[in-house]
Amino acid sequence: MIVGKVVGSIVSTRKNDKLIGNKFMIVEPVHHMKAEVNQIVAIDNVGAGIGEYVLVAQGSAARIGCGLETAPVDAAIVGIIDDGAGLE
C-alpha cells in the first residue's frame, strides 16, 4: 500500500464492461514512496477529491479492496487520509 495525493481525474467513455460506473483518479505517490513511477491511475470507490491524500492498494489487493475481483484493476484508492501533515 502506498500514500499519495490525488492530482487529477480521468474520464473514459469506452472501457471494459466491469469498469463501467467507476471513477478514475490520478495519484502521485508522496516523495519518499516513489519508485519508478511518478503518477498512477487508481479506481476510486471512496469518493476522494483532487488535493486529498489517499491510501492506494495495488495488485490483487486493489481488486479485492474495491470489490472487483475479476476486473482489470491495478490500483485502487481504499482510504482518504484525514491528516496529511508531514507526508511531503
Side-chain angles (χ1 to χ4, degrees):
M1 194 171 323
I2 63 168
V3 174
K5 184 175 185 178
V6 177
V7 296
S9 63
I10 291 181
V11 176
S12 174
T13 55
R14 295 187 58 154
K15 56 187 154 270
N16 182 284
D17 289 343
K18 295 178 181 181
L19 299 176
I20 292 174
N22 289 289
K23 183 169 105 176
F24 299 94
M25 304 301 279
I26 301 169
V27 178
E28 188 171 292
V30 294
H31 180 70
H32 58 281
M33 291 193 170
K34 287 184 182 177
E36 65 279 348
V37 296
N38 289 324
Q39 295 181 336
I40 58 174
V41 175
I43 197 166
D44 176 26
N45 288 333
V46 297
I50 294 173
E52 291 187 295
Y53 286 98
V54 294
L55 296 171
V56 178
Q58 296 180 298
S60 61
R63 290 186 293 280
I64 293 167
C66 67
L68 298 170
E69 289 85 359
T70 61
V73 173
D74 274 340
I77 297 172
V78 295
I80 299 172
I81 296 173
D82 294 331
D83 184 5
L87 290 175
E88 288 291 334

